[in-house]
Amino acid sequence: MCIQQLHSSVCIHSHLLGQLSLHWTVLRWNLKADKNWELPLPPGSMGLPIVGETFHWFLQGSNFHASRRRQHGNVFKTHLLGRPVVRVTGAEHLRRLLLEEHNLVGANWPQSAQVILGPTSLANSIGDIHHHKRKVYAKMFSHSALESYIPRIKQVVAETVRDWCAREGPVMVYSESKKLTFRIAVSVLLGSLPSKEELTNLFTVFEQLTQNLFSLPLDVPGSGYRKGVQARDKLHGYFEKPIEDMLQSSPEYSTALGILIKSSQEQGMKIGMQELKEAMVELMFAAYATTASACTSLILQLMKNPAVLAKLRMDLQTNGVWPESTTGENVSRLSDVTHLQYLDGVVKEVLRLLPPVSGGYRVALQTFELGGFQIPKGWSVMYSIQDTHDTAPIFQHPEIFNPDRFAEDQMKGKDARFQYLPFGGGVRRCLGKELAKLTLKILAIELATISHWELATKTFPKMLMVPVVHPADGLKVQFSAQLCNEWHS
């Protein structure tokens, strides 16, 4: 039964269940409040027995949390993916959660994600183990490492954009962006790409994993959970040989896998085969799904805001990033990209308006107070990035796409630490954020200097939030090649 059909079935029977179901659900979860605390549970609904509000969440997307926040405030309860959840919005609440990890809250991905990513993954690590792993992994995203990745990223991006421009019909931007970021992830991790057929098969398996990473933990034939586990096992099998080859020879330190192996040796941390396989899958997921979402949003926002695109092109030309060919040879070092302030603002504004991941998961390690309510020990806590961006007082007119809001003079004196956090915050902020931004900037440069694009449908699509932000129809766009000097003719 597909999710739409199941939702319809729930709606048909909900009237028959009526107040009896509602009373049972409320009573059940009130019993889980901490009796040693007089503070009430946050307001909100726990939905139906067992499934809670999971299907409403999938179907309503961003409207699910936004509507409940408007009704209940910045701290409310719900029931998602088999767990009671408190949803939290606002810098004043996020500051406490993110700074007191390992004290008030700990890492808590849904059970399906925990199993599929694996017990040794960085996402599932806690305490000192997590801290040490981050030090080892951080070397893959150092300045020197990022600079060594630039040629591979540029090559993949340039080939992709030329392919889009050469097509006669519209491009499905979201699906093509996933292929783009997947190729970048494989190239950065391994140093080269497999054959076209092998890459296509690998991509299909990886799509199966990402589509089922967040699923009800029902291990039965045909379930999303079972499909996700099967995809994980296939990926582990594929990565075993390149890992063995790397371990048996001198690691190539211009690849992320080689840098990871070397960094682990330097830190005195022996990484075995299973841990490296789980690291590969986790790193690819982090580099693939969220960056594909951001690439799609970048193209969408530049298409929606032609004045921003025109200003970006002018700024690139002023700063000498205006290649005479389609290869962008004058962008070869990290400094060639990082000094472009308006481009930096464009990328930051894309991530503010449409952060790829709408929130992060934690679990209450002890009962604590937040916003005048008790958060019981063992409950999930989901902090909202999207809603926090939308309500942050430092961003005037948040519905408007305005890269100039990130200009140095505009941000001076503003504390954005917990009001702007597209990559999360605290001890679990995204390690690969600079790689993601570098990819977005190289894509923006390539698009702005050699291509033209326009929407191939009558209206812009609705944006869905699960598992990452993406357009409902995939975003159909017609691309065409255009010489850079034509933009000023």
Side-chain angles (χ1 to χ4, degrees):
M1 181 182 286
C2 73
I3 190 169
Q4 289 86 355
Q5 291 171 320
L6 184 53
H7 179 253
S8 298
S9 177
V10 170
C11 289
I12 289 170
H13 291 91
S14 62
H15 179 71
L16 299 177
L17 294 173
Q19 294 300 313
L20 179 62
S21 173
L22 178 62
H23 174 75
W24 182 88
T25 304
V26 171
L27 176 63
R28 181 185 178 212
W29 290 115
N30 277 349
L31 290 174
K32 289 195 172 240
D34 192 325
K35 300 301 183 181
N36 296 320
W37 285 65
E38 295 183 358
L39 291 174
L41 291 170
S45 169
M46 304 307 287
L48 294 170
I50 303 176
V51 299
E53 296 190 299
T54 298
F55 300 116
H56 290 86
W57 176 44
F58 282 145
L59 291 169
Q60 291 180 252
S62 61
N63 291 332
F64 175 86
H65 293 300
S67 63
R68 284 153 179 77
R69 177 175 54 80
R70 288 191 293 268
Q71 181 180 358
H72 302 300
N74 283 348
V75 181
F76 65 85
K77 69 176 182 289
T78 182
H79 177 200
L80 304 173
L81 299 174
R83 296 287 300 273
V85 178
V86 175
R87 174 83 169 189
V88 178
T89 295
E92 70 278 15
H93 300 315
L94 268 60
R95 180 186 299 273
R96 189 173 184 214
L97 288 176
L98 295 174
L99 290 182
E100 295 200 49
E101 175 139 352
H102 307 319
N103 178 23
L104 295 182
V105 296
N108 177 42
W109 286 64
Q111 184 180 341
S112 58
Q114 291 183 37
V115 173
I116 292 171
L117 291 178
T120 70
S121 65
L122 187 64
N124 289 326
S125 301
I126 61 174
D128 291 340
I129 294 176
H130 175 261
H131 176 72
H132 192 48
K133 277 182 178 289
R134 279 185 68 91
K135 287 181 65 177
V136 172
Y137 282 40
K139 285 291 184 70
M140 290 185 289
F141 307 105
S142 65
H143 185 283
S144 60
L146 292 174
E147 194 152 271
S148 72
Y149 305 151
I150 287 178
R152 298 191 189 110
I153 297 173
K154 280 174 49 186
Q155 180 180 356
V156 173
V157 169
E159 290 173 354
T160 298
V161 173
R162 285 199 296 269
D163 174 61
W164 292 352
C165 291
R167 296 189 190 183
E168 294 183 2
V171 169
M172 298 289 286
V173 171
Y174 181 52
S175 61
E176 291 297 321
S177 292
K178 288 191 287 186
K179 294 176 183 176
L180 165 65
T181 56
F182 178 77
R183 290 179 67 205
I184 290 174
V186 173
S187 182
V188 165
L189 282 166
L190 301 181
S192 61
L193 293 174
S195 67
K196 185 176 180 180
E197 181 180 357
E198 194 172 20
L199 191 65
T200 298
N201 292 336
L202 196 61
F203 176 76
T204 300
V205 174
F206 207 85
E207 274 277 82
Q208 182 176 320
L209 181 144
T210 59
Q211 289 170 358
N212 296 289
L213 187 63
F214 301 102
S215 54
L216 288 172
L218 302 175
D219 190 13
V220 296
S223 68
Y225 178 80
R226 176 73 66 85
K227 291 177 182 177
V229 170
Q230 290 172 341
R232 176 206 64 192
D233 292 343
K234 290 179 182 177
L235 290 168
H236 283 186
Y238 173 82
F239 288 129
E240 188 164 332
K241 186 178 187 308
I243 291 173
E244 284 181 347
D245 291 344
M246 191 74 72
L247 288 171
Q248 292 173 5
S249 60
S250 298
E252 184 182 344
Y253 299 135
S254 62
T255 68
L257 176 59
I259 293 172
L260 175 60
I261 292 172
K262 180 183 178 183
S263 178
S264 67
Q265 294 169 347
E266 292 174 344
Q267 296 291 329
M269 176 180 172
K270 185 177 180 180
I271 297 184
M273 174 60 73
Q274 182 63 26
E275 189 168 355
L276 283 170
K277 287 191 289 190
E278 291 182 3
M280 292 288 283
V281 171
E282 182 178 27
L283 288 166
M284 288 190 68
F285 173 74
Y288 155 81
T290 53
T291 310
S293 168
C295 288
T296 305
S297 297
L298 170 71
I299 293 169
L300 174 68
Q301 291 304 323
L302 290 178
M303 190 162 44
K304 277 187 171 183
N305 299 275
V308 171
L309 178 56
K311 185 172 181 178
L312 174 61
R313 284 173 169 147
M314 183 65 72
D315 192 66
L316 292 174
Q317 185 177 40
T318 300
N319 283 279
V321 187
W322 202 246
E324 295 299 323
S325 67
T326 60
T327 56
E329 293 301 330
N330 58 347
V331 177
S332 57
R333 300 184 64 84
L334 203 56
S335 58
D336 295 332
V337 180
T338 54
H339 81 284
L340 300 169
Q341 294 303 309
Y342 190 70
L343 174 60
D344 186 65
V346 168
V347 169
K348 286 179 177 177
E349 183 69 342
V350 168
L351 296 172
R352 180 196 69 82
L353 195 63
L354 293 170
V357 179
S358 61
Y361 287 95
R362 298 292 186 270
V363 65
L365 301 177
Q366 58 178 293
T367 302
F368 63 96
E369 180 274 335
L370 196 70
F373 305 105
Q374 66 158 290
I375 312 300
K377 179 180 178 180
W379 277 42
S380 295
V381 182
M382 188 177 183
Y383 70 87
S384 170
I385 295 173
Q386 179 75 66
D387 289 351
T388 297
H389 286 182
D390 290 345
T391 59
I394 65 169
F395 299 130
Q396 299 300 311
H397 306 293
E399 73 283 358
I400 297 175
F401 186 81
N402 176 24
D404 287 319
R405 72 171 80 245
F406 286 99
E408 290 184 9
D409 60 333
Q410 294 297 312
M411 292 301 292
K412 187 176 182 181
K414 294 181 180 179
D415 182 9
R417 187 178 178 190
F418 294 99
Q419 299 186 68
Y420 178 74
L421 61 168
F423 298 100
V427 298
R428 290 188 180 272
R429 64 192 178 280
C430 178
L431 272 174
K433 63 180 183 177
E434 295 305 325
L435 175 59
K437 290 193 291 185
L438 177 62
T439 299
L440 288 168
K441 290 176 181 180
I442 291 175
L443 175 61
I445 291 171
E446 193 72 23
L447 287 169
T449 55
I450 74 159
S451 66
H452 171 76
W453 64 100
E454 57 187 27
L455 190 66
T457 54
K458 292 182 179 180
T459 59
F460 287 105
K462 175 185 177 182
M463 300 302 287
L464 305 178
M465 301 292 135
V466 179
V468 294
V469 172
H470 66 283
D473 70 349
L475 188 61
K476 300 175 183 178
V477 175
Q478 182 68 57
F479 288 85
S480 60
Q482 194 157 349
L483 295 176
C484 54
N485 57 12
E486 294 182 29
W487 298 120
H488 300 286
S489 59

